[in-house]
Amino acid sequence: MKIKVCGLKQPENIAAVAALGANYLGFICYGRSPRYIGALPVEVLAAIPASIHKTGVFVNETAQNINLLIDKYGFDTVQLHGDESPEFSNAFRNKVTVIKAFGVDNEFDFGQLENYANNVDYFMFDTKTSGYGGSGKTFNWDILNNYRLNVPFFLSGGISLDNLDEVKKISHPQFYAVDLNSRFETEPGIKNTDKLEQAFDIIKNKTLQMKYGVNEHGYYGDFGGAYIPEMLYPNVEELRQQYINIINDADFKAEFDDLMKNYVGRPSPLYHAKRYSEKYGANIFFKREDLNHTGSHKINNAIGQILLAKRLGKKRIIAETGAGQHGVATATVCALMGIECVVYMGEIDMARQAPNVSRMKMLGATVMPASSGSKTLKDATNEALRDWIANPVDTHYIIGSVVGPYPYPDMVARFQSIISKETKKQLVEHTGKELPEYVLACVGGGSNAMGMFYHFLDDEQVKLVAVEAAGKGVDSGHSAATTFLGQEGVLHGSRTILMQTPDGQVIEPYSISAGLDYPGIGPQHAHLYKINRAQYVSVTDDEAMQAGLLCSQMEGIIPAIESSHALAQLEKMKFNPSDNVVICLSGRGDKDLDTFIKYFGY
Ligand SMILES: *Cc1c(COP(=O)(O)O)cnc(C)c1O
């Protein structure tokens, strides 16, 4: 669904709304409206990104004046909001797109639109008033069922945060766009960007839900679901029933946003890497998740889940961790909230990642060694699940990636989606466009990649590239390149793609990077892979280490080895000079210094 924001008139406010990424902005050229643009300088409109349609809104204006203002302001769309005839409307279509608006009430005769069908590009259905729109009131949207022509329409009139849920339920095949106006204002003509941003999220989420998002049964195409022992059912079911309501709650959003800003340090910068851009012949941008508190994207999800746990009344948090990164993020947010924290970790991993064990302890967490099986991540996961079964009422289990039974993959993706949400806005500031040509991210379980892809999924022209760890080579027997080596099966409670033996035993993955050393990918990734919405590639240890060194020495940024995998992929791609390329720098390399030092012999 497209979004039009109408009734703008103040320069700074126009720029702020444009940065949110609407599809249409409307400027009212009707002197009697409190939102009349008056003598708005032409430069203000010229500064709006070309991807946004600039719409002049007229009420019974002369053709001469409309043409004058089209030329003056560079409108590419006109909205005729008075009693203009079909012929009058059609006259502008050789240079602009034409929207013809009608006031609708319960007696509205859709038959009168037939004469317009071949003379306009869109209809707009607004609430019928004595004046010409701007009433802030809705009409009875059921009446839209009587509209049967093939011309797509905008819906206008009183749309607000309170009724967006109703708007989303309208399933008319010609429903093209919503028109947001008076209910998103602080005063006539001045838009409340916070409210608009919330509305954009809700509207765009809807589209995701329909296309690549999870369905109501917890599946992404063939993947997902909740394959759990019966004893876990009550815990997972409680989450499933509550998570959407909690996440969409205004108090939750306010607390999440505040912590993202003041605790995590968001928005993380979108950095234009100039030397990289020169080297690779495109505009290369780094999304700097490495600058977050605790050094990676993992904190975004940990904050989201601890706030959710609080609202579910939980008193205790458990988590599993492989390399310790997710354990540290979880211990951090538990300290922040004063909640007890138990982290399960394989004995071998505890030895390999001793500094992270110390960090968790310093933050007040209890680290419980998992000493069964291979004494690594999957054994830690089993121990955590056992704990959760034993403590269903007071304990929340924080999973660290877009994996696990539904609703975890969707929940974690939503928390991480702040990455692409910010990126879209920042790209408009850097490039004047919301969409890049390429988006790259590394994939372990897939949470930084899903956060980086999320708000671009629907924009099919954006090429998404997910980089897996090939380890010592895809065919070496020491690899974590899941889509290359895996088959469909069930891992950690969801149907996905995983590395397994012919009889279904999980194969131990290998990567020099601890965060990518995972035998599966989240179910949404399995789906994006299978339907080819994203491209899955792999990069070896050696390629990643070289890329980490290059980034350190060319940009002065020591990246995590995980993120270095995404950087290494640049070597294998061909770009046009005008291409905009965004790479998720998921984390900083401080934690990997020992590995870098050993590898390069510094
Ligand atoms: C944990 C981690 C990853 C891998 O996890 P995803 O869920 O695939 O994002 C990637 N980068 C960094 C820095 C990590 O800490």
Side-chain angles (χ1 to χ4, degrees), residues 296-298 325 400-401 442-449 515-516 560 562-563 586-587 591:
S296 82
H297 66 292
K298 287 200 171 70
Q325 295 301 109
S401 190
C442 66
V443 178
S447 68
N448 88 89
L516 303 185
E562 291 86 354
S563 323
S586 54
K591 68 182 178 63

Side-chain angles (χ1 to χ4, degrees), residues 63-282:
Q64 191 188 5
N65 280 344
I66 293 175
N67 278 314
L68 269 174
L69 288 173
I70 289 174
D71 294 341
K72 176 176 174 188
Y73 283 116
F75 294 135
D76 59 29
T77 306
V78 296
Q79 178 180 323
L80 303 175
H81 221 101
D83 309 308
E84 298 83 0
S85 70
E87 298 70 34
F88 184 90
S89 307
N90 195 15
F92 301 100
R93 290 175 77 202
N94 58 0
K95 55 177 178 187
V96 294
T97 301
V98 174
I99 305 170
K100 179 69 190 85
F102 292 88
V104 175
D105 60 11
N106 279 342
E107 278 70 54
F108 187 72
D109 171 18
F110 283 92
Q112 66 186 287
L113 303 182
E114 273 170 38
N115 292 333
Y116 285 90
N118 291 320
N119 291 297
V120 303
D121 299 287
Y122 299 98
F123 289 124
M124 173 176 287
F125 300 133
D126 191 5
T127 307
K128 189 174 178 71
T129 60
S130 51
Y132 294 98
S135 67
K137 296 208 175 72
T138 59
F139 62 92
N140 169 16
W141 292 330
D142 290 340
I143 221 94
L144 293 170
N145 291 330
N146 298 339
Y147 173 61
R148 307 249 161 73
L149 298 174
N150 287 328
V151 180
F153 67 86
F154 287 66
L155 179 65
S156 183
I159 296 173
S160 71
L161 285 175
D162 296 330
N163 57 30
L164 267 183
D165 279 344
E166 296 300 309
V167 173
K168 281 166 35 177
K169 287 190 194 131
I170 300 171
S171 62
H172 196 292
Q174 298 301 343
F175 185 14
Y176 171 74
V178 285
D179 187 50
L180 308 180
N181 193 341
S182 62
R183 300 288 294 272
F184 293 89
E185 291 185 329
T186 51
E187 58 184 278
I190 308 300
K191 306 301 165 188
N192 179 329
T193 48
D194 288 343
K195 273 194 179 173
L196 278 175
E197 196 168 358
Q198 279 186 44
F200 282 31
D201 282 354
I202 294 169
I203 294 163
K204 290 181 181 175
N205 261 352
K206 156 73 174 168
T207 330
L208 283 175
Q209 291 280 330
M210 296 195 305
K211 250 185 157 173
Y212 299 111
V214 76
N215 69 20
E216 67 268 34
H217 307 294
Y219 277 83
Y220 308 86
D222 298 336
F223 303 103
Y227 295 77
I228 47 171
E230 205 174 313
M231 288 163 76
L232 266 186
Y233 181 79
N235 310 34
V236 173
E237 181 59 15
E238 179 187 27
L239 263 187
R240 190 189 69 74
Q241 285 182 11
Q242 307 257 19
Y243 84 108
I244 292 279
N245 286 341
I246 293 178
I247 293 175
N248 284 335
D249 178 72
D251 277 353
F252 179 95
K253 282 196 168 127
E255 197 175 356
F256 183 77
D257 290 348
D258 175 64
L259 287 171
M260 285 294 132
K261 179 164 176 237
N262 297 310
Y263 187 70
V264 177
R266 302 199 73 95
S268 67
L270 183 71
Y271 164 65
H272 183 205
K274 300 202 183 50
R275 296 188 68 201
Y276 258 50
S277 298
E278 216 161 277
K279 176 174 164 61
Y280 292 110

Side-chain angles (χ1 to χ4, degrees), residues 239 243-244 246-248 252-253 256 260 266 289 297-309 396 398-399 402 407-422 447 450-452 454-455:
L239 263 187
Y243 84 108
I244 292 279
I246 293 178
I247 293 175
N248 284 335
F252 179 95
K253 282 196 168 127
F256 183 77
M260 285 294 132
R266 302 199 73 95
E289 294 300 298
H297 66 292
K298 287 200 171 70
I299 192 78
N300 305 328
N301 169 51
I303 298 254
Q305 286 203 47
I306 197 84
L307 294 181
L308 186 99
H396 175 68
I398 299 190
I399 293 183
V402 284
Y408 280 100
D410 185 53
M411 184 166 77
V412 178
R414 282 167 189 258
F415 292 142
Q416 294 292 3
S417 69
I418 191 167
I419 301 173
S420 46
K421 182 170 142 190
E422 287 175 3
S447 68
M450 199 47 69
M452 187 73 247
Y454 197 91
H455 289 286

Side-chain angles (χ1 to χ4, degrees), residues 283-481:
N283 297 310
I284 311 277
F285 295 93
F286 295 168
K287 181 58 176 163
R288 299 289 308 274
E289 294 300 298
D290 61 313
L291 293 177
N292 294 344
H293 177 48
T294 69
S296 82
H297 66 292
K298 287 200 171 70
I299 192 78
N300 305 328
N301 169 51
I303 298 254
Q305 286 203 47
I306 197 84
L307 294 181
L308 186 99
K310 262 190 8 180
R311 280 160 178 78
L312 290 171
K314 305 294 177 183
K315 307 269 181 286
R316 180 172 173 270
I317 295 295
I318 56 172
E320 91 292 329
T321 194
Q325 295 301 109
H326 172 55
V328 170
T330 304
T332 301
V333 297
C334 287
L336 177 68
M337 296 293 164
I339 294 184
E340 182 190 348
C341 179
V342 177
V343 180
Y344 289 92
M345 191 168 184
E347 256 179 2
I348 290 185
D349 288 337
M350 284 178 73
R352 284 196 290 207
Q353 310 287 344
N356 276 340
V357 176
S358 307
R359 267 187 203 110
M360 286 183 265
K361 289 184 175 162
M362 173 124 190
L363 290 161
T366 307
V367 183
M368 295 287 284
S371 48
S372 63
S374 56
K375 304 181 173 54
T376 57
L377 180 63
K378 73 176 179 347
D379 313 290
T381 305
N382 290 337
E383 293 293 334
L385 287 174
R386 228 167 269 149
D387 182 318
W388 207 22
I389 290 170
N391 301 287
V393 178
D394 71 338
T395 298
H396 175 68
Y397 180 14
I398 299 190
I399 293 183
S401 190
V402 284
V403 301
Y406 178 68
Y408 280 100
D410 185 53
M411 184 166 77
V412 178
R414 282 167 189 258
F415 292 142
Q416 294 292 3
S417 69
I418 191 167
I419 301 173
S420 46
K421 182 170 142 190
E422 287 175 3
T423 301
K424 272 196 160 177
K425 261 170 97 164
Q426 292 166 323
L427 275 171
V428 172
E429 287 159 20
H430 278 287
T431 69
K433 292 190 298 182
E434 189 179 67
L435 303 181
E437 273 65 32
Y438 294 92
V439 171
L440 282 77
C442 66
V443 178
S447 68
N448 88 89
M450 199 47 69
M452 187 73 247
F453 293 172
Y454 197 91
H455 289 286
F456 296 112
L457 283 173
D458 263 6
D459 303 306
E460 311 266 356
Q461 68 268 44
V462 178
K463 298 182 200 73
L464 310 174
V465 183
V467 186
E468 300 182 337
K472 296 188 171 149
V474 170
D475 299 319
S476 66
H478 302 277
S479 178

